[in-house]
């Protein structure tokens, strides 16, 4: 019996070991793809049996979306719209245009998908600028001539067509990556992938939680020290986008000019903010709203959040030139920061 | 006749010690490699072209075959794009970074420097 007892304990220990080994082996399969699309590097990491399949489908979907939405690709629906003033649209293009128009109306034009002619005048017009030359400061006369072409109200979108006024041009660069994030997240969910992370520069989509059940941790760059984060967000099933003056800029005549233009003036927006981060479940809204709120400034952004934030389910993280980081109430408990770190004072605002 | 539970014997201790050693070995074998020092992974068009250790004194790496010549510098746990022949210089403006999960990007070259290592985040915005 004593021998039996020892044998039983050995069997128990062996079973425990096997359990531990099985637990290790039960880590879901991971697959990762990195690729360039929409003038940005993109990365998708997915976990689970369907991960490999989802990677391929997601890349195909993003490339298809790019082929429809790029304004520099001859023959794309947006290129056709800009060249001829009218275009027939695939459902994806119509949805993206509608999303852009929705944010334009929501923000009174602080985000405007028709700002392209002014962006081009500054050399911020997209990948083509990399080949054609460098950034430049347009004259006031040049801007005055171009600003009448910036008018989202002259863009009409139906379920399958769009028209714009003569000389106008649409650029969906401020919303397309958010739409791509939405599509990738939807693909993952359809395929049963419950843990994935999609990143494309200034937009990150957290699909589900990490395989260990904890939230994805996403750093928000400190705009004054971009090698560090000023806040870390813990996100599950959410999309987040940042717009910051530090992303693209140049100096001329001792003045620094950044790439986020105020559609009303045609000049780089100076609203007192250094960066804006938006969190919501809608990637298109998140992407476009980060640009709009940068233009609106802290008070305008908080006013928008107070009036529409609950209905549209978004939250904001605003980094100001005054060294104040303002977080809206929905981020409380999801934002990891240290008061005073980086010289910032952090505040949480409620409705 | 003896009744259960029997007293543990030296043989039981030996079995427990063996399993403890196996568990310890498994911990080191299976623990994610992220626990290592910071590494900069350089990719062009999504394909890895170099993996640079950040520790130690200043070292420079010139990425071959790019449309615009570009040099990456590593020093004391940080990395930057030191020089680039690209028209906009956005990549050089990004400066130094030492945060695992962060990326440096040169769009005209379709080049990304990704920092991998412990204590970082899953992604950095912007």
């Amino acid at each position: 019996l004593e021998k039996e007892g020892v044998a039983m304990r050995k069997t128990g220990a062996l079973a425990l070991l096997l359990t531990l080994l099985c637990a290790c082996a039960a880590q879901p399969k991971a697959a990762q793809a990195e690729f360039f699309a929409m003038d940005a590097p993109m990365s998708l990491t997915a976990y689970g049996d369907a991960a490999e399949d989802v990677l391929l489908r997601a890349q195909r979907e993003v490339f298809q979306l790019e082929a429809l939405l790029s304004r520099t690709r001859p023959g794309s629906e947006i290129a056709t719209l800009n060249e001829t003033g009218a275009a027939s649209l695939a459902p994806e293009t119509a949805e993206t245009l509608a999303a852009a128009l929705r944010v334009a109306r929501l923000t009174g034009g602080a985000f405007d998908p028709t700002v392209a002619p002014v962006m081009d005048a500054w050399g911020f017009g997209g990948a083509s600028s990399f080949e054609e030359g460098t950034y430049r400061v347009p004259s006031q006369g040049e801007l005055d001539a171009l600003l009448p072409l910036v008018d989202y109200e002259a863009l009409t979108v139906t379920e399958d067509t769009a028209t714009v006024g003569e000389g106008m041009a649409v650029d969906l660069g401020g919303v397309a990556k958010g739409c791509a994030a939405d599509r990738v997240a939807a693909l993952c969910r359809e395929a049963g992938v419950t843990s994935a992370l999609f990143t494309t520069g200034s937009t990150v989509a957290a699909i589900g939680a990490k395989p260990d059940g904890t939230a994805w941790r996403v750093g928000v760059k400190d705009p004054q020290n971009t090698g560090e984060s000023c806040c870390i967000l813990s996100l599950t099933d959410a999309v987040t986008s940042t717009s910051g003056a530090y992303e693209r800029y140049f100096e001329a005549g001792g003045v620094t000019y950044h790439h986020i233009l105020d559609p009303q003036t045609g000049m780089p927006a100076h609203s007192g903010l250094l960066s804006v981060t938006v969190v919501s479940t809608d990637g298109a809204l998140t992407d476009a709203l980060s640009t709009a709120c940068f233009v609106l400034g802290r008070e305008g952004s908080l006013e928008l959040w107070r009036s529409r934030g609950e209905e549209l389910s978004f939250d904001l993280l605003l980094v100001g030139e005054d060294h104040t980081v303002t977080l809206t109430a929905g981020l409380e408990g999801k934002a990891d920061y240290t008061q005073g770190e980086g010289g910032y004072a952090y505040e949480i605002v409620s409705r | 006749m003896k009744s259960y539970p029997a007293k543990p014997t030296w043989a039981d201790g030996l079995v427990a010690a063996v399993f403890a050693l196996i568990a310890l070995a498994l911990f080191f074998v299976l623990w994610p490699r992220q626990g290592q020092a910071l590494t900069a992974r350089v990719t062009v068009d999504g394909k890895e072209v170099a993996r640079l250790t950040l520790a130690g004194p200043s070292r420079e790496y010139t990425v071959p075959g790019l449309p615009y010549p570009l040099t990456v510098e590593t020093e004391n746990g940080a990395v930057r794009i030191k020089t680039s022949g690209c028209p906009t210089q956005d990549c050089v403006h990004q400066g130094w970074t030492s945060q695992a999960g962060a990326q440096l990007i040169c769009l005209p070259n379709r080049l990304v420097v990704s920092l991998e290592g412990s204590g970082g985040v899953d992604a950095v915005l912007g």
Side-chain angles (χ1 to χ4, degrees):
Chain A
L1 278 175
E2 192 173 355
K3 280 182 181 172
E4 272 181 35
V6 171
M8 281 179 72
R9 285 195 295 276
K10 282 181 181 172
T11 308
L14 192 61
L16 181 67
L17 179 70
L18 285 171
T19 307
L20 284 169
L21 282 170
C22 288
C24 293
Q27 285 276 352
K29 276 192 282 186
Q32 188 187 28
E34 293 175 29
F35 52 101
F36 265 81
M38 301 179 174
D39 300 331
M42 297 190 173
S43 165
L44 175 62
T45 307
Y47 295 87
D49 292 337
E52 289 282 358
D53 182 45
V54 154
L55 291 189
L56 293 172
R57 289 169 58 194
Q59 284 177 79
R60 201 161 49 225
E61 183 95 4
V62 171
F63 288 137
Q64 280 173 359
L65 202 56
E66 181 185 31
L68 293 169
L69 304 182
S70 169
R71 77 176 170 106
T72 56
R73 185 176 296 196
S76 81
E77 291 184 347
I78 296 301
T80 303
L81 175 65
N82 291 344
E83 280 167 26
T84 65
S88 300
L89 306 179
E92 296 91 330
T93 315
E95 281 171 27
T96 310
L97 277 167
L101 268 183
R102 195 162 56 242
V103 177
R105 290 179 185 131
L106 181 71
T107 61
F111 171 82
D112 194 322
T114 66
V115 77
V118 178
M119 294 287 284
D120 288 345
W122 284 90
F124 292 129
S128 56
S129 66
F130 303 145
E131 289 148 24
E132 287 168 7
T134 53
Y135 303 140
R136 59 185 282 274
V137 183
S139 68
Q140 191 57 52
E142 202 176 342
L143 289 177
D144 290 343
L146 291 171
L147 281 171
L149 301 174
V150 180
D151 181 9
Y152 67 90
E153 289 180 335
L155 168 64
T156 308
V157 182
T158 70
E159 277 184 9
D160 53 6
T161 61
T163 57
V164 282
E166 196 178 341
M168 291 177 65
V170 169
D171 186 326
L172 293 175
V175 69
K177 294 178 197 72
C179 286
D182 286 338
R183 298 219 155 251
V184 169
L187 266 178
C188 286
R189 290 187 189 104
E190 284 163 21
V193 170
T194 55
S195 177
L197 190 71
F198 176 66
T199 71
T200 169
S202 56
T203 294
V204 172
I207 298 134
K210 288 203 265 192
D212 65 5
T214 60
W216 297 100
R217 283 166 56 81
V218 180
V220 178
K221 267 186 191 170
D222 177 349
Q224 299 189 102
N225 179 12
T226 56
E228 302 291 335
S229 291
C230 60
C231 183
I232 294 170
L233 299 172
S234 294
L235 302 176
T236 303
D237 281 323
V239 186
T240 180
S241 292
T242 288
S243 286
Y246 57 85
E247 293 170 309
R248 294 172 74 185
Y249 64 88
F250 67 98
E251 288 181 18
V255 180
T256 301
Y257 300 92
H258 65 76
H259 74 298
I260 306 173
L261 303 180
D262 182 340
Q264 305 295 316
T265 64
M267 295 294 289
H270 286 294
S271 62
L273 293 178
L274 295 170
S275 78
V276 171
T277 300
V278 182
V279 180
S280 87
T281 52
D282 180 337
L285 174 78
T286 304
D287 195 1
L289 210 50
S290 66
T291 306
C293 287
F294 189 96
V295 174
L296 289 172
R298 180 183 283 127
E299 291 314 312
S301 298
L302 291 177
E303 197 181 311
L304 182 66
W305 175 75
R306 287 190 173 105
S307 61
R308 307 294 300 274
E310 196 161 8
E311 172 202 343
L312 297 171
S313 188
F314 69 85
D315 276 287
L316 304 170
L317 187 157
L318 312 168
V319 184
E321 290 173 353
D322 60 357
H323 294 265
T324 301
V325 179
T326 306
L327 300 104
T328 56
L331 295 179
E332 192 167 14
K334 295 178 184 169
D336 185 5
Y337 56 85
T338 305
Q339 193 67 250
E341 194 171 342
Y344 291 112
Y346 291 78
E347 62 173 16
I348 294 180
V349 297
S350 53
R351 289 192 173 87
Chain B
M1 183 189 277
K2 284 187 179 178
S3 60
Y4 291 111
K7 271 185 166 181
T9 66
W10 65 269
D12 293 334
L14 185 67
V15 169
V18 167
F19 283 135
L21 280 172
I22 292 171
L24 198 65
L26 283 171
F27 177 82
F28 284 108
V29 171
L30 298 176
W31 197 251
R33 287 297 173 198
Q34 279 194 332
Q36 309 301 312
L38 274 178
T39 302
R41 192 164 64 89
V42 184
T43 59
V44 177
D45 255 333
K47 293 180 182 65
E48 184 176 311
V49 296
R51 200 172 264 273
L52 312 172
T53 304
L54 270 57
S58 171
R59 274 177 302 212
E60 293 184 10
Y61 171 72
T62 300
V63 185
L66 295 177
Y68 305 99
L70 181 144
T71 302
V72 177
E73 183 181 12
T74 63
E75 186 177 2
N76 295 331
V79 62
R80 68 168 173 168
I81 294 175
K82 185 181 183 184
T83 61
S84 172
C86 70
T88 61
Q89 298 292 298
D90 292 334
C91 55
V92 177
H93 291 158
Q94 293 168 97
W96 292 96
T97 187
S98 57
Q99 189 181 13
Q103 290 186 326
L104 301 172
I105 298 161
C106 181
L107 282 179
N109 276 318
R110 296 166 80 90
L111 174 140
V112 180
V113 180
S114 305
L115 265 71
E116 297 176 349
S118 61
V121 292
D122 299 302
V124 177
L125 277 165

